[in-house]
Amino acid sequence: GIKVGEGTTVHPACLIHAKLGPIEIGAWCCLEEQVEIVNNSSDPLIIGDYNVFEVGARVQGGHGARIGNANVIESRAHLSLGVKVGNGCTIGVLTKVPELEELEDETV
């Protein structure tokens, strides 16, 4: 299933697909147009609070993937399978983070 926290905004044309496992999106997040969040694993995909996913950003759940709090995933950035993002990170425009990468807090 999919759970979305209080105050989170999901803009039109977003795709949130819990194919195998659940997706939990925290409070006060913003998912702009054409954002894709997909969980292809039985493991839950946990997304914290105060995250911004800009236009066309993509997240693939699975293998323990998770996103902390107060991150900005900029336009058309792609978080590959199993990526773990700490708190306060910025993922730049068109950046592709490779599978199983772990980003420490405040990584830019």
Side-chain angles (χ1 to χ4, degrees), residues 47-51 67-71 85-89:
I47 298 171
D49 302 330
Y50 301 101
N51 290 295
I67 298 173
N69 300 313
N71 297 290
V85 179
N87 300 310
C89 297

Side-chain angles (χ1 to χ4, degrees), residues 2 10 14 22 29-30 35 38 44 56 67 70 74 80 82 84 97 100 105 107:
I2 298 168
V10 180
C14 287
C29 293
C30 178
V35 166
V38 179
I67 298 173
E74 293 185 348
S80 301
K84 295 176 182 169
V97 181
L100 304 176
D105 291 352
T107 298

Side-chain angles (χ1 to χ4, degrees), residues 23-75:
I23 297 173
E24 294 182 23
I25 300 171
W28 307 106
C29 293
C30 178
L31 283 65
E32 295 182 356
E33 290 84 356
Q34 300 173 1
V35 166
E36 294 182 14
I37 299 174
V38 179
N39 191 0
N40 291 313
S41 168
S42 59
D43 297 331
L45 171 56
I46 308 295
I47 298 171
D49 302 330
Y50 301 101
N51 290 295
V52 176
F53 297 84
E54 294 182 354
V55 175
R58 294 175 49 204
V59 177
Q60 290 181 277
H63 299 293
R66 68 176 185 272
I67 298 173
N69 300 313
N71 297 290
V72 178
I73 314 302
E74 293 185 348
S75 295

